[in-house]
Every structure is written in structure tokens, then in C-alpha cells.
Amino acid sequence: MTVLAVNTGSSTLKFALYPVHLGQVQAATLTGSFSGLEPQGQASVQWRMQDGLTGATREGSEPLQGGADRFEAALQRLQALLRELGLAPQLHAIAHRVVHGGTAYHQAIVVNDEALHGLHALSPLAPLHQPHNLMGIALCQRSYPGVPQVACFDTAFHTTLPEVETRFALPEALYAQGIRRYGFHGLSYQYVHGVLQTVSDRAHGPVVMAHLGNGASLCATREGRSQATTMGFSAVEGLMMGTRSGALDPGVLLHLLGAGWTAQRLEDLLYRQSGLLGVSGVSADMRRLRADPSPQAQRAIALFEHRVVREIGAMAACVQGMGVLAFTGGIGEHDALLRTHVCQQLGYLGVAMDDAANAQAAGDAVRSIHAPRSAVEVWVVPTDEGKVAAQAAADVLLATQP
């Protein structure tokens, strides 16, 4: 069995090809991404292929040529690339990361027209992600007719949340309509926790995972079951992010509505104009802000770190402690200074960092960065949402086919 994992964003299309042996997904033979797919963007593709037997690698990058629909052009180029690299046996499934599954979808599904219609109805809850995820499914249906398209949901990992974690203090009728907390980044948390189980004896106890990137959230688990998380009804709640505000007093929105702001203007504010970008006025990219000595850039970084520290304390309280703290995501995996600042402020919980281990180049390695005296294990775990999605797709197919 061969499964292609696809993650379609607003300007990117990430992909990975996974062989499946005896029901288990193996290391990807091909990984890559198309970037600059937004209008007027500089569209290009980068890829890396690794031979599972010899370990030999090949890499390539090139501009993306032609096509009125850049995403469709990207998928056509991907099909050609698979043929050119000799990786073009018939695909058994294409696994798609879909951010929101609502109350209806608690596990991966083979997508049909009815399901696609229902998932589109959830787009207002994740406007930065859901429409693009579903566009990727539709395009793959055209590009790969007859190949099952499997939707894998970020919300599914959080179906174990206790009721007190899913409810808002709102009337029961609204809860019955689905106005509740769902949680996101579930594919990432599932992967990270699976890795922690292989490297730490403490992973069965209280664990806090920090997925920090352009989208950012925290999740606390016990026995591998999600018990608390910072994102809720939508992917804008919780931590400060690249362009998203995170948690906000609803009175601010009432004030702005009273001042004549429209719903669309508020959506743009919360999802696209706030976070690191809004506070700094410079960039949503933490790397650019680190290189910028201006007070505005440093203020944005300090606020981001403060929100992370504040919410880690809340997550630890929800699971009565913290035996393991794990960092993942683009910022979590690569920003050693952020990890230092966060862990220094968690000293009251017994966190002590090994500065030399923390400063090592990130790469793709899982590594511990806690000092021997630390009461809490601290790990950096590069995430692989595609592998989790591919495994979910393989499980769905194996459950329905001989």
C-alpha cells in the first residue's frame, strides 16, 4: 500500500509519500512542498527523496510553471514528479489534513459528496484553514479519480476532553447547537505523544505539549488522552499566534461592534492582523522579529513568550502536574531562545534546562534538553502530521477492504 499525504494551506501545498507494510506506515520516501501559490506569489516546489533500503537521498527545487489555478498546477506537477522519480505505482489513498471535524467526525473518513458538503459548513469556524483543506480534497478528486480521499481531523484527538473542558458558560441551547470547545493541532499532538511514549517512561503521566508556530496551542494529556487544550471553538482561541490574536476579552469585540465594525472586519482583525504581526507592526515571522532590535518587535516576542508560560501553568493544573514538557512546531522546534525563556520561568515547577543540549542545531532529531536535576523532562520533538494522517488513511482502508 502507498499513501500520499497532502496538507493544503492558503499559499502552500505540502506532500509526503508513505509506503505501508503490514498495516504500518513506514518512513516517507518523498517529502516536499509547493510554496508561493497565492496570487502574484513566486510559485516553486522543493522536494527530497530517500531510498528506504540504502538511505541515499536526492533533492530538487524548481519554479512552478503555468496554470491559471496554481494549486491544480501543483498537483499536476506532483503527478509528473512521482513518475519521474519512479514512485508512481497506483496510489491506494490520499490522506488530507482537515482542521475541523465538528461534532460529527471523530475519526478519519473516506470523503463523499455528503461529507464534503458538511465539512464546508464548518469553514466559518476555521476560515484560514478549512476552505483550503477542502479545496485540496476537491482538486485531488479530479487529479486522481478513483483514488479514495481520506479526511483526517485535527479535532479528533480531543474527543477525550472532559465536559468541563468543552463547555462555555453559555445557555444549554447553544451547546446543543455545537457552540463548544473542540481543540485543534490534534494530528501533531498524536504524533508527538506517540514519540514521547518511545523515549520517556513518564509519557503515561501528566504531559504538556506546545505546538508553537504560525498557529500555536498547548495540550495537556494523561495516559495519552487529551484533557485540556488552549484552542477551542475556533483556531483563534488561546495563545497569541503569527497573525491571530488568541484569547481576547469578548467585551473588546462588543466595543468594536458598537463603534461600527462589521463582522468581516472583526474576522480580519482576529485572524489576519493581530498576533506577532499586529503587536510588532513588522512581521508574523518569529525569525524576522528575533533579528529586529526595535522595541515593537521585542514587545511582540515578550508577549508571545508570556502567553506560553501563562497557559503552560493552566495546562499543568488541569492534569495535576507535569512530568514531561515537549516543544514542537516551527517555533517550538527551532527557537532555542524561546525555549530558554519559557523554561526559566517554569523553574517553580522544577523545570531545569541543559543549555548546551538546548542550543544544538535542530535538524530532524528528537532530543532531550533537560538537566539531570530537572523534575520535569523537556523534549524537542519535530512533528510529522503527514505520517499520522497516512496511518489513519491506511487504517480506514484496511478496515473496509480485505
Side-chain angles (χ1 to χ4, degrees):
M1 183 181 291
T2 305
V3 178
L4 177 66
V6 171
N7 185 350
T8 309
S10 59
S11 62
T12 62
L13 190 153
K14 300 176 184 178
F15 60 89
L17 189 68
Y18 297 91
V20 182
H21 180 64
L22 298 178
Q24 295 301 306
V25 168
Q26 308 300 301
T29 53
L30 177 70
T31 59
S33 65
F34 293 87
S35 59
L37 299 181
E38 72 276 11
Q40 287 78 52
Q42 298 296 314
S44 63
V45 59
Q46 292 184 313
W47 56 268
R48 182 174 187 269
M49 184 179 77
Q50 182 164 358
D51 189 304
L53 295 177
T54 67
T57 61
R58 293 173 60 188
E59 297 181 356
S61 62
E62 62 188 73
L64 179 65
Q65 303 295 333
D69 186 322
R70 291 184 168 203
F71 286 91
E72 192 156 15
L75 283 171
Q76 291 171 354
R77 180 66 192 107
L78 177 56
Q79 285 180 297
L81 182 63
L82 293 175
R83 290 194 298 269
E84 293 165 10
L85 297 175
L87 298 173
Q90 182 180 356
L91 292 177
H92 292 82
I94 301 179
H96 298 265
R97 178 197 178 201
V98 177
V99 166
H100 214 308
T103 58
Y105 301 108
H106 297 163
Q107 59 187 10
I109 60 165
V110 177
V111 177
N112 55 27
D113 290 343
E114 180 182 359
L116 201 57
H117 178 75
L119 293 172
H120 273 292
L122 297 171
S123 291
L125 308 187
L128 293 188
H129 302 88
Q130 193 87 348
H132 300 291
N133 299 157
L134 302 181
M135 176 186 65
I137 294 176
L139 289 174
C140 284
Q141 286 176 327
R142 294 206 301 265
S143 298
Y144 297 89
V147 176
Q149 309 293 323
V150 180
C152 308
F153 302 103
D154 260 337
T155 48
F157 183 74
H158 301 293
T159 56
T160 59
L161 289 172
E163 185 180 25
V164 292
E165 183 69 16
T166 66
R167 282 186 174 265
F168 295 112
L170 294 172
E172 176 66 21
L174 292 176
Y175 183 80
Q177 294 173 28
I179 308 298
R180 46 156 289 176
R181 303 185 71 252
Y182 294 93
F184 300 92
H185 287 139
L187 297 178
S188 178
Y189 290 132
Q190 184 176 339
Y191 178 83
V192 171
H193 196 275
V195 171
L196 290 174
Q197 288 180 304
T198 69
V199 298
S200 173
D201 292 335
R202 297 187 182 183
H204 67 281
V207 173
V208 175
M209 296 175 282
H211 181 110
L212 306 178
N214 189 52
S217 71
L218 303 175
C219 176
T221 63
R222 266 191 176 276
E223 301 293 341
R225 296 166 64 85
S226 178
Q227 298 296 295
T229 190
T230 55
M231 280 184 173
F233 176 68
S234 69
V236 75
E237 191 193 0
L239 300 179
M240 174 181 174
M241 306 177 216
T243 63
R244 283 170 266 175
S245 65
L248 186 69
D249 182 342
V252 173
L253 304 183
L254 294 175
H255 172 79
L256 294 176
L257 283 170
W261 284 49
T262 65
Q264 183 60 57
R265 190 179 178 190
L266 288 176
E267 180 182 297
D268 288 340
L269 172 71
L270 298 179
Y271 280 95
R272 302 175 183 89
Q273 300 169 0
S274 297
L276 291 172
L277 175 63
V279 175
S280 71
V282 175
S283 176
D285 190 324
M286 181 66 83
R287 294 166 295 186
R288 280 195 60 189
L289 297 180
R290 286 289 185 201
D292 188 334
S294 70
Q296 297 91 333
Q298 298 309 305
R299 183 183 301 122
I301 294 172
L303 184 56
F304 185 93
E305 292 176 346
H306 171 73
R307 292 285 181 87
V308 172
V309 171
R310 182 184 186 204
E311 294 304 319
I312 286 177
M315 293 295 103
C318 288
V319 289
Q320 294 87 54
M322 182 171 66
V324 179
L325 172 63
F327 291 93
T328 193
I331 297 173
E333 294 170 26
H334 299 289
D335 194 326
L337 190 56
L338 176 136
R339 295 193 298 265
T340 295
H341 290 167
V342 168
C343 288
Q344 284 175 344
Q345 294 180 73
L346 297 176
Y348 74 98
L349 290 174
V351 176
M353 179 175 285
D354 181 329
D355 293 332
N358 182 51
Q360 289 178 357
D364 294 324
V366 177
R367 63 195 189 281
S368 62
I369 58 172
H370 52 273
R373 70 181 185 280
S374 183
V376 178
E377 292 185 4
V378 185
W379 293 83
V380 178
V381 183
T383 194
D384 190 345
E385 294 161 309
K387 188 172 185 179
V388 174
Q391 185 65 62
D395 292 344
V396 167
L397 292 188
L398 291 170
T400 57
Q401 300 176 9

